[in-house]
Amino acid sequence: MSDAPESILSCEALRVSVPGRCLVDALQLDLRRGELVAVLGQNGSGKTLTLMTLAGLRPPDTGRLRLMGSDLQSAPRQLTARHLALLPQDVDDIFPATVMDTALIGRHPHIGRFRWESAEDYEAAREALRTVGLAALSERDILTLSGGERRRLAIAQILTQAPDVYLLDEPTNHLDPQHQLDALRVFRRAADSGSAVIASLHDVNLAVRYADRCLLLFGDGQWELGPSADILTEERLSDLFATRMEAVDWHSKKLFVASSDHPPL
């Protein structure tokens, strides 16, 4: 792949659909280093399928995807995994493994065939576990972890991968309020350090606090993309979530609350 261009991950005329329904039509996205983009929409609006498509794990109906300036769909998967990581909504653990061994999986794209993990790989995993507050549990069996601890381990695994692009499907899933904020701070720092982040979120106020831009998916093919401060309005969010969303002032920002006392605008 070529040296990183200004647009690190891009798509043109991307169409994402399920049988009988277009979810996202003609999506145009240029993701740049240093930014965090939040994806917002109702359940079933296409957030997960769009992230999977951007990750190259499912083909788009139409459109073109480029990563680091090269065609994503034709690139070898191991090479792609060195530059792009996907955090799924949930993970299923079938076999026992330690927390450390699971974090080390993130290094596999960087390790050649017939090689073992190096001291540097172990240190990368230890640092990631420290970042998510799991260093003391490195020898624990993952089957003994709580849901929130397992989610933090999944975050540690992709931090160990050290990609240029993070695609996060509900990264705050299973996390309490403290760890939700911690997780978003981690990825905000990753963006500020030169990575690019796309995260689907259910909490619009986390997008207000941490996202540079927001992608709104309406579930019928329509979408809107723009700076968070401009695109997050009462009218748009009420339409997006099919319930009235009201803005309140908080520390010089606008936060949004759902008002069940009123119909959608």
Side-chain angles (χ1 to χ4, degrees):
M1 291 188 180
S2 61
D3 292 338
E6 179 182 358
S7 177
I8 189 171
L9 175 66
S10 65
C11 65
E12 286 178 31
L14 192 73
R15 180 183 172 93
V16 178
S17 68
V18 292
R21 183 180 170 197
C22 175
L23 298 171
V24 183
D25 189 35
L27 177 63
Q28 200 85 10
L29 172 67
D30 290 291
L31 184 68
R32 300 179 289 271
R33 289 187 182 275
E35 71 171 344
L36 191 158
V37 175
V39 185
L40 302 174
Q42 293 188 63
N43 294 337
S45 61
K47 300 187 298 297
T48 293
L49 290 181
T50 298
L51 288 177
M52 290 178 64
T53 304
L54 291 174
L57 297 180
R58 70 185 302 272
D61 297 307
T62 61
R64 186 179 183 187
L65 287 158
R66 297 183 71 82
L67 174 66
M68 309 286 285
S70 298
D71 182 70
L72 175 62
Q73 292 159 284
S74 63
R77 290 307 304 173
Q78 183 174 13
L79 183 58
T80 297
R82 293 175 187 169
H83 297 286
L84 183 150
L86 172 67
L87 177 71
Q89 281 188 36
D90 293 291
V91 292
D92 294 320
D93 297 312
I94 301 174
F95 301 107
T98 68
V99 166
M100 173 58 76
D101 288 341
T102 303
L104 277 170
I105 292 172
R107 296 306 301 161
H108 288 183
H110 304 280
I111 298 173
R113 296 180 65 185
F114 311 115
R115 276 191 51 210
W116 294 101
E117 295 89 351
S118 67
E120 290 77 13
D121 295 323
Y122 273 91
E123 180 52 36
R126 280 192 289 270
E127 178 58 29
L129 291 174
R130 285 192 290 268
T131 297
V132 300
L134 293 179
L137 305 184
S138 62
E139 298 307 314
R140 278 266 297 273
D141 188 324
I142 56 174
L143 299 179
T144 70
L145 299 178
S146 70
E149 289 169 336
R150 186 62 185 87
R151 191 58 171 167
R152 286 152 57 198
L153 177 55
I155 290 171
Q157 184 176 311
I158 65 167
L159 292 176
T160 303
Q161 191 173 337
D164 297 284
V165 179
Y166 292 91
L167 302 179
L168 313 174
D169 195 2
E170 297 185 26
T172 58
N173 205 14
H174 303 301
L175 298 181
D176 58 49
Q178 173 196 341
H179 289 107
Q180 288 182 19
L181 295 177
D182 288 344
L184 268 296
R185 290 189 192 108
V186 165
F187 291 112
R188 180 69 262 177
R189 287 197 299 269
D192 292 341
S193 297
S195 298
V197 181
I198 305 180
S200 69
L201 299 171
H202 278 303
D203 188 339
V204 64
N205 292 317
L206 291 176
V208 170
R209 294 180 69 170
Y210 294 105
D212 301 295
R213 292 191 290 164
C214 288
L215 172 63
L216 310 184
L217 301 183
F218 293 88
D220 59 356
Q222 297 183 71
W223 55 273
E224 291 190 60
L225 174 65
S228 300
D230 297 334
I231 204 167
L232 297 180
T233 65
E234 290 182 336
E235 293 76 16
R236 280 195 184 90
L237 293 174
S238 296
D239 187 25
L240 183 72
F241 294 115
T243 191
R244 187 179 181 92
M245 302 291 291
E246 297 184 2
V248 296
D249 292 322
W250 179 81
H251 291 245
S252 75
K253 290 182 179 289
K254 292 284 187 184
L255 296 187
F256 296 90
V257 295
S259 174
S260 60
D261 297 331
H262 301 282
L265 296 177

